[in-house]
Amino acid sequence: MPGIHQQSVDQIVEECREVEGLGIPGIILFGLPETKDPRGTSSLSAHGVVQRAIEAIRKAKLKLLVITDVCLCEYTDHGHCGVIENGDVANDPTVAILAQQALSHARAGADIVAPSDMMDGRVAAIREMLDEHKFENIAILSYAAKYCSGFYGPFREAAQSTPQFGDRRGYQMDPANAREALKEVRLDLEEGADMVMVKPALPYLDVIYRVREAFDVPVAAYNVSGEYALVKAAAEKGWVDEKRVVLEILTGIQRAGADIMLTYHAKDAARWLKAC
Ligand SMILES: [Zn+2]
């Protein structure tokens, strides 16, 4: 996608310096490992790419909040968010690996871990693992309402995490279902999530609003790669005024009730807002 690049560990520090200078309060890291295997084991290594990136950012003494994506799909050779047993994603073995992964991020210096896998019980398992190792102060931002969406396409290509067989309908939510989102959010909060996320953002503004109305916790909205790509492509063709529509979109997401926004437009928006 235009303006979006994979970063090496040394590049990420410079990127983060720029981000901090623009007044953006935090970043989220997704890892692209050198090797993938069926169980995503490279995601647990203290020398993994995400773990080393966190350490480098910490060493640079930046004030940015560092959030890490906790999932297996970038690390598994089959591209699913969990380990496969009998041809299907196996919930409990996956949850055990995710808890280890979250612990390794906390050890490296992450402020917030963000499980995006949608397995059952993973928030509780991560909370227990972190507390057991004296990381009670590490917060959990759960992808509580993650819909099975066509808007993830560009990211999956960039992260080389497109499922090699089947799809993610078994563990992501049906776009037509709004009430299930509230159920998922409630469960994640009961398990110990500190913040909850709705993903994608634009086709689910009503879900953001419902979650905001029903629960008194910070609500995050993920303005995903496909949403960004639509705007970028139309702007390139001269069909829309990019600055105007981006700021309108982000305002809409905020108006729906999001306290935290994850967006590929972040740097552009920060620059535009600074210039206002
Ligand atoms: Zn995943």
Side-chain angles (χ1 to χ4, degrees), residues 20-247:
E20 186 170 292
L22 286 167
I24 295 165
I27 54 145
I28 182 163
L29 296 171
F30 293 82
L32 272 180
E34 272 161 31
T35 55
K36 302 193 182 211
D37 65 31
R39 301 184 69 80
T41 40
S42 64
S43 70
L44 309 179
S45 165
H47 309 294
V49 66
V50 166
Q51 291 82 352
R52 283 186 293 125
I54 303 167
E55 284 167 3
I57 295 164
R58 286 284 168 248
K59 240 186 229 153
K61 302 265 179 255
L62 297 170
K63 290 185 207 75
L64 281 177
L65 207 57
V66 177
I67 309 173
T68 59
D69 179 74
V70 174
C71 199
L72 290 186
C73 53
E74 300 129 63
Y75 304 92
T76 52
D77 49 13
H78 45 71
H80 276 283
C81 298
V83 299
I84 304 293
E85 284 175 10
N86 307 318
D88 227 332
V89 172
N91 192 89
D92 295 358
T94 300
V95 166
I97 299 175
L98 293 170
Q100 291 286 346
Q101 189 187 125
L103 177 62
S104 78
H105 293 171
R107 281 182 169 142
D111 299 300
I112 299 172
V113 292
S116 61
D117 52 282
M118 294 294 282
M119 299 297 136
D120 292 334
R122 90 274 203 223
V123 173
I126 290 171
R127 187 71 272 164
E128 196 179 321
M129 179 69 85
L130 291 176
D131 291 354
E132 224 171 76
H133 292 84
K134 306 259 175 286
F135 288 111
E136 294 95 341
N137 53 345
I138 304 292
I140 299 176
L141 163 60
S142 100
Y143 287 60
K146 183 176 181 182
Y147 283 91
C148 192
S149 169
F151 285 93
Y152 303 145
F155 172 87
R156 282 190 192 163
E157 241 172 65
Q160 294 140 25
S161 64
T162 304
Q164 298 304 302
F165 59 90
D167 56 35
R168 296 183 180 151
R169 280 171 220 272
Y171 43 99
Q172 294 184 351
M173 288 172 26
D174 175 358
N177 198 336
R179 271 174 294 182
E180 192 189 356
L182 298 181
K183 194 180 107 194
E184 293 286 351
V185 167
R186 181 170 296 112
L187 286 172
D188 280 4
L189 290 174
E190 282 168 7
E191 287 184 27
D194 301 282
M195 297 160 260
V196 291
M197 189 195 291
V198 176
K199 180 183 180 181
L202 278 187
Y204 301 94
L205 291 177
D206 61 314
V207 176
I208 297 171
Y209 180 74
R210 285 176 199 225
V211 172
R212 167 75 292 147
E213 290 294 293
F215 303 99
D216 192 20
V217 293
V219 177
Y222 198 140
N223 178 221
V224 300
S225 57
E227 299 175 63
Y228 171 85
L230 296 186
V231 173
K232 278 289 179 190
E236 260 174 31
K237 283 187 170 281
W239 290 347
V240 294
D241 173 345
E242 184 179 355
K243 175 182 169 183
R244 190 169 169 192
V245 298
V246 167
L247 294 179

